[in-house]
Amino acid sequence: MAESKVSAQQRLKVVAGASFENTGPGTPAGRYLRRFWQPVYHSVDLRPGRPVPLRILGEDFTLYRGEAGGVHLVEPRCPHRGTRLAAGHVEGEDLRCFYHGWKFDSKGQCIEQPAEESFFAKNVCIRSWPVREYLGFVFAYLGEGAPPELPRFPAFEHFDGLVEVDSYLRECNYFQNVENALDMSHVGFVHGDNRASFSGIGLGRALEAEESDWGVSYTFRRPDGRSRVQQFGMPNVFYMTALPTESDAGWQESVFWYVPIDDERHLQFSLHRVPVAGEAAGRFRERRLARRRTIDLAHQELCAKILAGELHLQDVDPNRVDLVRLQDDIAQVGQGVFASHNAEKLGKADVGVITIRRLWRRELSAMVEGAPLKDWKRPADLAPRAWDLEKEGEAELATVREGARAEIVDIRPFVEVDYQLKRLHGQK
Amino acid sequence: MAESKVSAQQRLKVVAGASFENTGPGTPAGRYLRRFWQPVYHSVDLRPGRPVPLRILGEDFTLYRGEAGGVHLVEPRCPHRGTRLAAGHVEGEDLRCFYHGWKFDSKGQCIEQPAEESFFAKNVCIRSWPVREYLGFVFAYLGEGAPPELPRFPAFEHFDGLVEVDSYLRECNYFQNVENALDMSHVGFVHGDNRASFSGIGLGRALEAEESDWGVSYTFRRPDGRSRVQQFGMPNVFYMTALPTESDAGWQESVFWYVPIDDERHLQFSLHRVPVAGEAAGRFRERRLARRRTIDLAHQELCAKILAGELHLQDVDPNRVDLVRLQDDIAQVGQGVFASHNAEKLGKADVGVITIRRLWRRELSAMVEGAPLKDWKRPADLAPRAWDLEKEGEAELATVREGARAEIVDIRPFVEVDYQLKRLHGQK
Amino acid sequence: MAESKVSAQQRLKVVAGASFENTGPGTPAGRYLRRFWQPVYHSVDLRPGRPVPLRILGEDFTLYRGEAGGVHLVEPRCPHRGTRLAAGHVEGEDLRCFYHGWKFDSKGQCIEQPAEESFFAKNVCIRSWPVREYLGFVFAYLGEGAPPELPRFPAFEHFDGLVEVDSYLRECNYFQNVENALDMSHVGFVHGDNRASFSGIGLGRALEAEESDWGVSYTFRRPDGRSRVQQFGMPNVFYMTALPTESDAGWQESVFWYVPIDDERHLQFSLHRVPVAGEAAGRFRERRLARRRTIDLAHQELCAKILAGELHLQDVDPNRVDLVRLQDDIAQVGQGVFASHNAEKLGKADVGVITIRRLWRRELSAMVEGAPLKDWKRPADLAPRAWDLEKEGEAELATVREGARAEIVDIRPFVEVDYQLKRLHGQK
């Protein structure tokens, strides 16, 4: 078995692009990510009758919403002469090509070829992929064969409060953000100005990372024995607690997905569970809406200027930008679009980074080798934990209330929506 | 002979860039296109004393008009130290380099080297190419040896009316536009909104394409037996009838040339023969001039936005753009800068596309093989034909009236002129 | 020995990028330039507490000024996880990384790792390079081993008057500008409009170039025997006289350095010695300051438009641009980003170009071969010479007045500062 392990690693090196970073079709990391449902778009951004080109994992698609509201994901080009289908016309749940009017149903079957006297449509079909709408996102299964069940987060569906639906684009490889999730020691420096939010959480010493049924349990243990635990779900999900940004009402829970558009840029899709209801929820929504407008500078553009020496972070107006994202941009994009691992000097505080790389490497090797892969599952009790901020003991975190239904709120700054849609649609 | 055919095709595959798409110096398609006169510039755009860098067929030149009005085409760079000659000074019909003042006559002979005490100018010369001005265009012969005669279109020279001189740039390989010319079945979909113009012409079934002395005769035959015929002239000319865009006055005749700037973009140079004279011609010219200003959006930029999912065609103001060109942009640029032929599914309606590819392939193979090439000629009677729109029978199309002299009118929208000149001058 | 010469040239050809043009780390020309102190930045542009990324000779650095005013040059990235250090925080004369707070002193030694319980800082260090501030510039020694002494120009330090500190960026390889310095015959054409400045200097016939202790003495001898001599210092310095641009007060002396940012663009750093003092100096400074604002067009952008055929030099407003630089841009960038030497036709007037290439080729060959290199020195009397403009005889040029201290004045147009800093910071 030792021998086969060696051989697996050797093969991994031989396969072109056998790295975490390269996720295009056919790459090992790309094949692995495609075994899991991925959020790829915001439901609110997809209007009926307005197909869009979509770029995810370095691959091009056509995404559209039919007249009855269904969401469909098919190949990017018409098989007749290769014109982009996103320029076509939606008719019912079908899609008609712009150039010569060939028509495809939502499963990709060609059903009309207007200029042909002897139709050969029945022999023509394009590929389609399963999609689901859930908690404000369009999820897609881009792998081979039948999809697994869509993982659910019942505590985000059923409670009295708001689910903030969010996302941002970062101009670097997604894996740098995956690693950053399991790197608590950056918080005190990258977000060091943010004293209100981060004080008392510690600089990130005494960190532990251990493999769980779902991925990695990542723990910061205080000297008094109380601990804060975040859960990483393989291959690219993070489930964490954080102090709320807008009030002093206890911990907030969030789920993040790190999804490559292509290898040079990625989106983090985020859900935040905010347990406020009634009038308080109304005020909360208003403040969020105001913030969507107030933030009028793209953090990606400010980051580019800062890394280019044109601007310093100290000179940025913190009200006009999402500061936390800008700070993470500087740290991660500052590593380069692809961080080099060759010259790294990792320490004990990098235990999370070391652990997630080990799991990924193990699973990719197994996949390339044809060996069995671990069947990652999230048991109901594998959730983040934190201490009570007011009194001794553990905080009470998200619980399901049957019958309750959370309200979904899009909180993306408008400048972020514009920025991310361009790249999601394939522009560089 | 079958054997030599196979061998020709094999050699064609072996030659680097042996495709219709690649037209740079030394490529088979490039060598073939260079055997024919090509329009390369608008006469009105070339001012005396203002040389320009010119990029055609992936090759760089210097084009200038001397003080006496002659048009000259020479190499792009001074042979002394390599500075671009387009930055130089026109003196008479000669051109003086900006850097050290070497002077060349319009045939490329070096005639002055001011800083040299012992001139060696007589040993220095640069290449020049034959040029002619005809019907508003500068034509150039970029091939080897003595040029053939410049093909003329007497019916466009001698009649009572206007010749509209036009052109547009498309951001894709020229051959996609060549194919589109012989693809009548796109009209009903790509230009399907344009009911007034295209109704009654049919969706493009019952299409026939057959080789002619000049290239391809392309016919749509109606159920009642009447037919509309377009003529394609090898290697890249199209001579067609179309319904006029501005009035209901019968068929209009047009000649198009599809000329690569480089392999990623091309120009269509166009002549439209408009048989209006007197006051009617004045009103016509005024409407055209107004349109040149009204169209203030570059169709190429709108197309890029549409293909990038930023905009949908339905949301474009049709008065501010040349809609027909935008529609063709979407279809052709939507195929990619280079359409892939690998996965195509051609049907009977693609007979024109299939035929033109066959002729091109045959001629390129022969040329590479050193076999004789067909000597394409346009007999006077090889003109487009169409039915009479008012009564039964064939339409009366363009005829020559000796002594009459058409008036030449530039109808390009100003935004198009700006857009195309940048790329013609070599910018990307 | 003839054999070893041949072998040296052969090896030169074999080494990748063995040319004058390629100056990145490890290239022969790059190694050679790194044996000499180079100006890399303007002192006034470097503010305390605001580190900048710096790109010089195709290599990336972090440049910063400590709180006590010292200037320091270190590696571009933190060795921990690779984040760019220019985004970090200056503390005293130290630099702290933005991501996890590792701290480095100005020699590059890591002195803090806040998240680590067992520090391994003492084993971590980054490279630093010697820097000096002199006559308004930051000079750096980017080579191996101990630096030579910084060459000084006492006649620019000690006199009654102003030293204008200047620089401009040109979008082509630096060697084209080196060659242009030793090419007096371009003046009459490239700057031919500039009659006031250049009349009487001649077209550049009767040129001589001979090797000196420092590099090349370049002489234009008038028919009456009087001569003007410029001095080129190996490998990339030029020390010359020129007529002043703003008054009729005799010759002005200047020193230029041609320093690659990377192979596609370079800076010329310039010092002009202006012997005006008292009130006249005040008026002079005011005119210079006014000019810094008046020039509001970047000559690089105008040059790009001119070479792209969008604009002609005749149509440029000469008050809004530095015309001499624009003219040289056209000549040099007009040769291409890299001038091709293959098809050149050099004459007797190119003796300066031929000589400087010969010296460079000889020294590079020796270096690659491991043979001894010439130890270039500038004896005090190796200075430019010119004739007296008023009366017969030689002009009195710069002399040192002990105790006097020249005033340093930054004369760069503000548009130039913006343009050059972007590229110096690594943007393309």
Side-chain angles (χ1 to χ4, degrees):
Chain A
M1 180 175 153
E3 220 183 318
S4 102
K5 260 255 171 95
V6 169
S7 143
Q9 285 180 359
Q10 283 174 335
R11 277 179 61 179
L12 194 57
K13 279 189 185 166
V14 169
V15 176
S19 65
F20 313 148
E21 289 86 358
N22 302 118
T23 63
T27 59
R31 285 165 53 207
Y32 192 65
L33 284 166
R34 281 169 174 79
R35 300 171 67 95
F36 301 82
W37 286 92
Q38 303 289 351
V40 299
Y41 214 76
H42 283 253
S43 281
V44 295
D45 290 341
L46 192 63
R47 290 180 294 156
R50 295 290 187 273
V52 292
L54 179 68
R55 187 164 181 79
I56 286 289
L57 292 164
E59 197 170 353
D60 290 311
F61 304 91
T62 307
L63 178 70
Y64 70 99
R65 190 184 289 283
E67 289 171 345
V71 177
H72 311 294
L73 187 69
V74 297
E75 280 188 28
R77 297 188 176 279
C78 178
H80 175 210
R81 299 289 311 284
T83 290
R84 293 199 83 156
L85 285 170
H89 310 283
V90 173
E91 299 182 0
E93 300 299 300
D94 307 325
L95 188 58
R96 190 187 285 284
C97 179
F98 185 82
Y99 204 167
H100 303 89
W102 287 20
K103 187 169 164 176
F104 302 89
D105 72 15
S106 64
K107 298 296 167 216
Q109 179 62 51
C110 183
I111 53 179
E112 273 190 37
Q113 293 169 311
E116 294 297 326
E117 290 173 80
S118 325
F119 303 121
F120 52 102
K122 64 176 186 301
N123 299 322
V124 175
C125 75
I126 56 176
R127 206 175 160 192
S128 73
W129 288 266
V131 289
R132 304 272 187 283
E133 291 189 273
Y134 180 58
L135 288 173
F137 296 132
V138 174
F139 282 81
Y141 179 73
L142 304 176
E144 302 294 325
E149 259 195 67
L150 178 72
R152 303 185 82 90
F153 291 82
F156 283 69
E157 291 181 68
H158 305 291
F159 74 106
D160 297 306
L162 310 174
V163 172
E164 294 177 342
V165 179
D166 198 4
S167 63
Y168 64 85
L169 184 146
R170 180 156 294 147
E171 296 281 5
C172 70
N173 189 264
Y174 79 108
F175 208 83
Q176 282 150 245
N177 213 347
V178 165
E179 294 181 343
N180 189 69
L182 291 163
D183 175 9
M184 213 160 144
S185 64
H186 84 277
V187 176
F189 288 96
V190 172
H191 313 295
D193 58 298
N194 214 344
R195 300 289 168 203
S197 304
F198 298 108
S199 64
I201 295 177
L203 273 180
R205 293 193 191 170
L207 295 166
E208 292 162 31
E210 63 179 30
E211 184 169 349
S212 73
D213 289 347
W214 193 33
V216 179
S217 291
Y218 185 58
T219 304
F220 161 55
R221 206 172 303 279
R222 303 200 320 190
D224 65 2
R226 288 195 288 168
S227 60
R228 186 178 166 212
V229 184
Q230 323 278 37
Q231 303 293 349
F232 187 90
M234 284 288 283
N236 62 333
V237 190
F238 196 51
Y239 187 3
M240 64 172 273
T241 55
L243 285 165
T245 46
E246 295 221 3
S247 77
D248 46 7
W251 299 92
Q252 178 181 289
E253 283 178 275
S254 302
V255 183
F256 302 153
W257 288 261
Y258 307 98
V259 182
I261 289 178
D262 49 34
D263 296 340
E264 287 82 30
R265 55 191 59 77
H266 70 280
L267 282 179
Q268 181 188 303
F269 289 96
S270 326
L271 297 175
H272 308 291
R273 185 183 187 275
V274 187
V276 289
E279 276 182 35
R283 287 192 302 271
F284 198 91
R285 272 200 312 271
E286 267 168 46
R287 282 199 305 270
R288 282 311 211 177
L289 181 60
R291 187 175 174 276
R292 295 187 75 181
R293 286 199 201 95
T294 308
I295 291 181
D296 62 348
L297 299 176
H299 56 91
Q300 300 92 342
E301 288 166 12
L302 291 184
C303 171
K305 287 189 181 186
I306 287 169
L307 291 178
E310 256 189 85
L311 186 70
H312 285 83
L313 182 56
Q314 301 95 305
D315 306 321
V316 171
D317 178 348
N319 298 310
R320 296 181 57 192
V321 66
D322 189 316
L323 192 62
V324 171
R325 278 161 196 180
L326 174 56
Q327 291 164 333
D328 279 323
D329 275 348
I330 295 170
Q332 293 173 38
V333 184
Q335 295 179 290
V337 174
F338 297 93
S340 166
H341 295 182
N342 295 338
E344 281 179 333
K345 301 224 179 319
L346 301 185
K348 203 167 169 322
D350 298 304
V351 61
V353 170
I354 291 164
T355 303
I356 188 64
R357 287 184 188 171
R358 184 172 53 77
L359 295 191
W360 259 84
R361 198 175 297 122
R362 185 188 73 197
E363 296 300 306
L364 284 199
S365 296
M367 191 187 68
V368 169
E369 189 75 346
L373 300 180
K374 178 159 174 178
D375 183 25
W376 305 103
K377 293 287 179 203
R378 187 173 68 83
D381 63 339
L382 206 59
R385 293 199 308 273
W387 54 80
D388 194 301
L389 291 170
E390 304 297 319
K391 43 188 186 297
E392 298 244 338
E394 192 150 315
E396 239 182 82
L397 292 178
T399 49
V400 172
R401 194 171 78 78
E402 296 298 339
R405 191 106 208 143
E407 184 187 349
I408 287 176
V409 186
D410 184 1
I411 64 164
R412 290 172 297 166
F414 295 112
V415 68
E416 174 70 49
V417 176
D418 291 345
Y419 194 94
Q420 71 181 221
L421 281 178
K422 281 197 186 179
R423 275 100 189 146
L424 257 176
H425 294 165
Q427 283 185 275
K428 302 269 164 166
Chain B
M1 179 176 154
E3 221 182 315
S4 103
K5 258 245 171 108
V6 168
S7 143
Q9 283 179 359
Q10 284 174 333
R11 275 180 61 178
L12 194 57
K13 279 189 185 165
V14 169
V15 176
S19 65
F20 312 149
E21 290 87 355
N22 301 118
T23 63
T27 59
R31 285 165 51 206
Y32 192 64
L33 283 166
R34 282 170 174 79
R35 300 171 67 96
F36 301 82
W37 285 91
Q38 303 290 349
V40 300
Y41 214 76
H42 284 253
S43 281
V44 295
D45 291 340
L46 192 63
R47 291 179 293 156
R50 295 291 186 273
V52 292
L54 179 69
R55 186 165 181 79
I56 286 289
L57 292 164
E59 197 170 351
D60 290 310
F61 304 91
T62 307
L63 179 70
Y64 70 98
R65 189 184 290 282
E67 289 171 346
V71 177
H72 312 293
L73 187 69
V74 297
E75 281 188 29
R77 296 187 177 279
C78 178
H80 174 210
R81 297 288 311 283
T83 291
R84 294 200 82 156
L85 285 168
H89 310 283
V90 173
E91 299 182 0
E93 300 299 299
D94 308 325
L95 187 59
R96 188 186 287 284
C97 179
F98 185 83
Y99 204 168
H100 304 88
W102 286 20
K103 189 168 163 176
F104 301 89
D105 73 15
S106 66
K107 299 295 167 217
Q109 180 62 50
C110 184
I111 53 180
E112 273 190 37
Q113 294 169 311
E116 295 297 326
E117 290 172 82
S118 325
F119 303 121
F120 52 100
K122 64 176 188 300
N123 300 322
V124 175
C125 77
I126 55 177
R127 207 175 158 191
S128 72
W129 287 266
V131 289
R132 304 273 187 280
E133 291 189 273
Y134 180 58
L135 288 172
F137 297 132
V138 174
F139 282 82
Y141 178 74
L142 304 177
E144 303 293 327
E149 258 195 69
L150 178 73
R152 302 184 82 90
F153 292 82
F156 283 68
E157 290 180 71
H158 305 291
F159 75 105
D160 296 307
L162 310 173
V163 171
E164 294 177 342
V165 179
D166 198 5
S167 62
Y168 65 85
L169 184 146
R170 181 155 293 147
E171 296 281 4
C172 70
N173 190 263
Y174 80 108
F175 208 83
Q176 282 149 246
N177 212 349
V178 165
E179 293 182 345
N180 189 69
L182 291 163
D183 175 8
M184 213 161 144
S185 64
H186 84 278
V187 176
F189 288 97
V190 172
H191 313 295
D193 57 297
N194 214 345
R195 300 288 166 203
S197 305
F198 298 108
S199 65
I201 297 178
L203 274 181
R205 292 192 191 170
L207 295 166
E208 291 162 30
E210 64 179 28
E211 185 169 346
S212 73
D213 289 346
W214 193 34
V216 179
S217 291
Y218 184 59
T219 305
F220 161 56
R221 206 172 303 280
R222 302 201 322 190
D224 66 2
R226 289 195 288 167
S227 60
R228 185 180 166 208
V229 184
Q230 323 277 40
Q231 304 293 348
F232 187 90
M234 284 289 284
N236 62 332
V237 190
F238 196 50
Y239 188 2
M240 63 172 274
T241 55
L243 285 165
T245 46
E246 296 222 1
S247 77
D248 46 8
W251 298 94
Q252 176 180 291
E253 282 179 277
S254 303
V255 183
F256 302 151
W257 288 261
Y258 307 97
V259 183
I261 290 178
D262 50 34
D263 296 339
E264 288 81 30
R265 54 192 59 78
H266 69 280
L267 283 178
Q268 181 187 302
F269 289 96
S270 326
L271 297 175
H272 308 290
R273 185 184 187 277
V274 187
V276 291
E279 276 181 36
R283 286 192 303 271
F284 199 91
R285 270 200 313 272
E286 269 168 45
R287 282 200 304 271
R288 281 311 210 177
L289 182 60
R291 186 177 175 276
R292 295 188 75 182
R293 287 200 201 95
T294 308
I295 291 181
D296 63 348
L297 299 176
H299 56 91
Q300 300 93 341
E301 287 167 12
L302 291 183
C303 171
K305 286 188 183 189
I306 287 169
L307 291 178
E310 256 189 86
L311 186 70
H312 285 83
L313 183 55
Q314 303 96 305
D315 307 321
V316 171
D317 178 349
N319 297 311
R320 298 182 56 192
V321 66
D322 189 316
L323 193 62
V324 171
R325 279 162 194 180
L326 174 56
Q327 291 164 334
D328 279 324
D329 274 348
I330 296 170
Q332 293 172 39
V333 184
Q335 295 179 291
V337 174
F338 298 92
S340 166
H341 295 182
N342 296 337
E344 282 180 333
K345 303 224 177 318
L346 300 184
K348 203 168 168 323
D350 298 305
V351 62
V353 171
I354 291 163
T355 304
I356 188 63
R357 287 183 190 173
R358 184 172 53 77
L359 295 190
W360 259 84
R361 198 175 297 123
R362 185 187 73 196
E363 295 300 308
L364 283 199
S365 296
M367 190 187 67
V368 170
E369 190 75 346
L373 300 180
K374 179 159 173 177
D375 183 24
W376 305 103
K377 294 284 179 205
R378 188 172 69 83
D381 63 340
L382 205 58
R385 294 199 307 274
W387 54 81
D388 194 299
L389 290 171
E390 303 297 321
K391 43 188 188 298
E392 298 244 337
E394 192 149 316
E396 237 182 81
L397 292 179
T399 49
V400 172
R401 193 170 80 76
E402 298 297 341
R405 190 106 207 144
E407 183 188 350
I408 287 178
V409 185
D410 183 2
I411 65 164
R412 289 171 298 166
F414 295 112
V415 68
E416 175 70 47
V417 177
D418 291 345
Y419 194 95
Q420 71 181 220
L421 280 180
K422 280 197 188 181
R423 274 101 189 145
L424 256 177
H425 293 165
Q427 282 185 277
K428 303 269 163 165
Chain C
M1 180 172 155
E3 221 182 316
S4 101
K5 260 250 172 100
V6 168
S7 142
Q9 283 180 0
Q10 283 173 334
R11 276 178 64 180
L12 195 57
K13 279 188 185 165
V14 169
V15 176
S19 64
F20 313 148
E21 290 86 356
N22 301 118
T23 63
T27 60
R31 285 165 51 207
Y32 192 64
L33 283 166
R34 282 170 174 79
R35 299 171 68 96
F36 301 82
W37 285 93
Q38 302 290 348
V40 300
Y41 214 76
H42 284 252
S43 281
V44 295
D45 291 340
L46 191 63
R47 291 180 294 156
R50 295 290 187 273
V52 292
L54 179 69
R55 187 165 181 79
I56 286 289
L57 292 162
E59 196 170 352
D60 291 311
F61 303 92
T62 307
L63 179 70
Y64 70 98
R65 188 184 290 282
E67 289 171 344
V71 176
H72 311 294
L73 187 69
V74 296
E75 280 188 28
R77 296 186 178 280
C78 178
H80 175 211
R81 298 288 311 285
T83 290
R84 295 199 82 156
L85 285 169
H89 311 283
V90 173
E91 299 182 0
E93 300 299 299
D94 307 324
L95 188 58
R96 188 186 287 286
C97 178
F98 185 82
Y99 204 167
H100 303 89
W102 287 20
K103 189 168 164 176
F104 302 87
D105 71 17
S106 65
K107 298 297 166 214
Q109 178 63 50
C110 183
I111 53 178
E112 273 191 38
Q113 295 169 311
E116 294 297 326
E117 290 172 80
S118 324
F119 303 121
F120 52 101
K122 64 178 186 301
N123 300 321
V124 175
C125 76
I126 56 178
R127 206 176 159 191
S128 72
W129 288 265
V131 290
R132 303 273 187 282
E133 292 189 272
Y134 180 58
L135 288 173
F137 296 133
V138 174
F139 282 81
Y141 178 74
L142 304 176
E144 302 293 326
E149 258 195 69
L150 178 73
R152 302 185 81 91
F153 291 82
F156 283 69
E157 290 180 70
H158 304 292
F159 75 105
D160 297 305
L162 309 173
V163 172
E164 295 177 341
V165 179
D166 197 4
S167 64
Y168 65 85
L169 185 146
R170 180 155 293 146
E171 296 280 5
C172 71
N173 190 263
Y174 79 107
F175 209 82
Q176 282 149 246
N177 212 349
V178 165
E179 293 181 345
N180 189 70
L182 291 164
D183 175 8
M184 214 161 144
S185 65
H186 84 277
V187 176
F189 288 96
V190 171
H191 313 295
D193 58 297
N194 213 345
R195 299 290 167 202
S197 305
F198 300 109
S199 65
I201 296 179
L203 272 180
R205 292 192 191 170
L207 294 165
E208 293 162 31
E210 64 180 29
E211 185 169 348
S212 72
D213 289 346
W214 193 35
V216 179
S217 292
Y218 184 59
T219 304
F220 162 57
R221 206 172 304 277
R222 301 199 324 190
D224 65 3
R226 288 195 291 168
S227 60
R228 186 179 165 210
V229 185
Q230 322 278 38
Q231 303 294 347
F232 187 90
M234 282 289 283
N236 61 333
V237 190
F238 196 51
Y239 187 3
M240 63 172 273
T241 55
L243 285 165
T245 46
E246 297 219 5
S247 77
D248 46 8
W251 298 93
Q252 177 180 288
E253 282 179 275
S254 303
V255 183
F256 302 152
W257 288 261
Y258 307 98
V259 182
I261 290 179
D262 49 34
D263 295 341
E264 287 83 30
R265 54 191 60 77
H266 69 280
L267 283 179
Q268 181 188 303
F269 289 95
S270 327
L271 297 175
H272 308 292
R273 186 183 186 277
V274 187
V276 291
E279 276 181 36
R283 285 192 303 273
F284 198 91
R285 271 200 313 270
E286 267 168 46
R287 282 200 305 271
R288 281 312 210 177
L289 181 61
R291 187 175 174 273
R292 295 188 74 181
R293 288 200 199 94
T294 308
I295 291 182
D296 63 347
L297 299 176
H299 57 91
Q300 300 93 341
E301 287 166 14
L302 291 182
C303 171
K305 286 189 182 187
I306 286 168
L307 291 177
E310 257 188 85
L311 186 71
H312 285 82
L313 182 56
Q314 303 95 306
D315 307 320
V316 170
D317 178 350
N319 297 310
R320 296 182 56 192
V321 66
D322 188 315
L323 193 63
V324 172
R325 280 163 194 178
L326 175 56
Q327 291 164 333
D328 279 324
D329 275 348
I330 296 170
Q332 293 173 37
V333 184
Q335 295 179 289
V337 174
F338 298 93
S340 167
H341 296 181
N342 295 337
E344 282 178 333
K345 302 223 179 319
L346 300 185
K348 202 166 168 324
D350 298 304
V351 61
V353 171
I354 291 164
T355 304
I356 188 63
R357 287 183 189 172
R358 185 172 53 76
L359 294 191
W360 259 84
R361 199 175 297 122
R362 185 188 74 196
E363 296 299 307
L364 283 199
S365 296
M367 191 188 66
V368 169
E369 190 75 345
L373 301 180
K374 177 158 174 180
D375 183 23
W376 304 104
K377 294 287 177 201
R378 187 173 69 82
D381 63 338
L382 205 59
R385 294 198 309 271
W387 54 81
D388 195 301
L389 291 170
E390 303 298 318
K391 44 189 187 297
E392 297 247 336
E394 191 149 319
E396 237 183 83
L397 291 177
T399 48
V400 172
R401 192 170 79 77
E402 296 299 340
R405 189 107 209 144
E407 184 188 350
I408 288 178
V409 185
D410 183 2
I411 65 165
R412 291 170 297 166
F414 295 111
V415 69
E416 175 70 48
V417 177
D418 291 345
Y419 193 94
Q420 71 181 219
L421 281 178
K422 281 198 188 179
R423 276 99 189 147
L424 256 178
H425 293 164
Q427 282 185 276
K428 302 268 164 165

